[in-house]
Amino acid sequence: MAIIDPILNGLQDGWRHTDASKLLHNQHFEADVVIVGTGAGGGVAADILTAAGLSVIMIEAGPLKSSRDFTMEERSAYPNLYQQAGAMKTADKAIGIFQGRAVGGSTTINWTTSIRTPPEALAFWEQHKSVTGLSEAALAPWFAQMEQRLNIQEWSYDPNRNNAALKQGCINLGWDYTVIKRNVLGCWNTGYCGMGCPVNAKQSMLVTTIPAALDKGARLISRANVVNIEHHNGQVLALKAQALNERNQPTGVELQFKARHYILSAGALHTPTLLMRSAVPDPHQLLGKRTFLHPTLLSGAIFADAINGHSGAPQSIYSDQFVWQAGAEGELGYKLEVPPIHPVLIASKTLGYGASHAELMAKFNQLQVTIALIRDGYHPDSQGGTVHLTPTGFSVDYPLTDVFWRAARRAFASMAELQFAAGAVKVLPISDGMPYLSSWKDAKETIAQMSLAPLRTVVASAHVMGGCPFGEDEQLSMVNSYGQSHYLDNLSVMDGSIFPTSLGANPQLSIYGITARNATALAQRLTQGR
């Protein structure tokens, strides 16, 4: 069956795409709206603004790739599609961070899980973070719009064995579980979503909103890194960018962008970094602060039968049994999911070396992995991390505090209990020094005494949020509830950096829905009187 490549077809039909790595001379571009970043926020905003008749330029630091480049091999996917080849970490190396770096952003390489913003998060934002107009009822039509636009619906096929273990454990224990909604159309159920969809079934920005915007005349500049926002007297005057070569190094060619309005959608690390580097007004020192990661713990389990967690939809079941159990401001809750099980991903996130690591990898096809995503940002002792500028870019400090480690211990116990309930032969909490545990009784006693510490305990994150919060109170927020800057009249932020806490849910649908609302309001404002 031939795979239609919308990127290749669009380029042949005359899309206005410039690969900045090919430019030999400095360039100047102008449009009604310039958008920095092409992920969940930038892609949705571009689609809505071009549909309103505005001229739009999308700028992306990463390359333009398509299904013909997605080989389902980790050795090419991570260096080509991920920030720092998938090896990005916090400053102390204690937390690994996965984030996309290509046209489509993280939507190109995520695992398709689509969950509306939990009402508990929305209520907390309204009560404590001065966010207005974002109740569950107010957002419902925007979520519905984006669910229809991106074919987000409940996964109707049986879960793969990795997800089925999570489901069965929940059933046997009487725990809550939910069948996940996925943004896919014609999915082949291969399980390689994290390496870019080779059949264009994943309804990422790469194959939906970005092609739609380009079809309507938008321009895309790839391999262009925006390095400065020129501003004066409450107005953005221009953006300055550097062209990058295929090794992500500046070529020496400089680009300038001018617009009526500017949107930052570079993500929760790069949007605050760009704002700080550009010295935008920040009187309350909020930029880069309260950066949240859903720091995630892993528990491996060996089953007697084959799990084959590399095959089939990566995520199709989750459990919210423990997310809000203690209330929003109580002890930190955690969401239970599973990751896809691919060799490099698992080998780099498990324990041991030499014989012990080889023994674990020898059981690769019988390995089930459950993950616990810690909901950070609500408890008074969970303030998240801080993005700092460095001479070569940025660093992220994320202190793992006592309240996190208490949640981690509970999460390891919950994951072990669930895995044994699902039929695991033995369980291995992914923290250095832990042995294989042969029963739930053994696990309960051992986990209660296990040593937990940075670098000793494997912690990872694929969800970066915060650092440029929204709200109406300027002491708490950088932009208002529509993403409009409090300090620069023609600047908006539309990405996960606006979240004042983590979500307790995978973030892509939250970004889609809130951006749809905010970009629609911006389009109405910019076209008023035409």
Side-chain angles (χ1 to χ4, degrees), residues 292-363:
F292 301 107
L293 299 175
H294 280 162
T296 298
L297 305 148
L298 300 85
S299 183
I302 303 299
F303 281 69
D305 58 328
I307 295 295
N308 295 330
H310 60 279
S311 178
Q315 292 186 327
S316 55
I317 304 290
Y318 69 80
S319 173
D320 276 353
Q321 178 73 22
F322 303 100
V323 181
W324 305 99
Q325 198 173 61
E329 296 174 75
E331 288 290 297
L332 307 191
Y334 44 92
K335 190 181 200 77
L336 298 179
E337 298 179 344
V338 306
I341 302 178
H342 296 297
V344 174
L345 179 64
I346 294 303
S348 65
K349 295 300 174 193
T350 50
L351 300 174
Y353 53 89
S356 64
H357 193 272
E359 177 189 0
L360 177 65
M361 295 305 290
K363 301 283 189 182

Side-chain angles (χ1 to χ4, degrees), residues 368-420:
Q368 194 273 342
V369 180
T370 299
I371 56 177
L373 292 73
I374 305 296
R375 173 183 55 79
D376 47 347
Y378 298 81
H379 189 282
D381 295 334
S382 177
Q383 297 296 313
T386 303
V387 176
H388 298 284
L389 296 181
T390 69
T392 57
F394 66 89
S395 67
V396 185
D397 284 329
Y398 189 103
L400 294 171
T401 59
D402 288 345
V403 71
F404 167 79
W405 292 119
R406 293 198 298 271
R409 192 178 303 279
R410 294 193 301 275
F412 276 125
S414 297
M415 291 189 284
E417 184 177 10
L418 180 138
Q419 288 168 317
F420 280 119

Side-chain angles (χ1 to χ4, degrees), residues 391-461:
T392 57
F394 66 89
S395 67
V396 185
D397 284 329
Y398 189 103
L400 294 171
T401 59
D402 288 345
V403 71
F404 167 79
W405 292 119
R406 293 198 298 271
R409 192 178 303 279
R410 294 193 301 275
F412 276 125
S414 297
M415 291 189 284
E417 184 177 10
L418 180 138
Q419 288 168 317
F420 280 119
V425 175
K426 50 187 179 180
V427 167
L428 179 65
I430 306 301
S431 188
D432 194 33
M434 285 297 288
Y436 284 102
L437 307 171
S438 58
S439 68
W440 167 229
K441 180 178 182 295
D442 179 24
K444 189 174 184 178
E445 294 171 354
T446 305
I447 289 170
Q449 303 299 322
M450 71 187 288
S451 176
L452 298 168
L455 302 178
R456 182 184 185 95
T457 304
V458 173
V459 185
S461 172

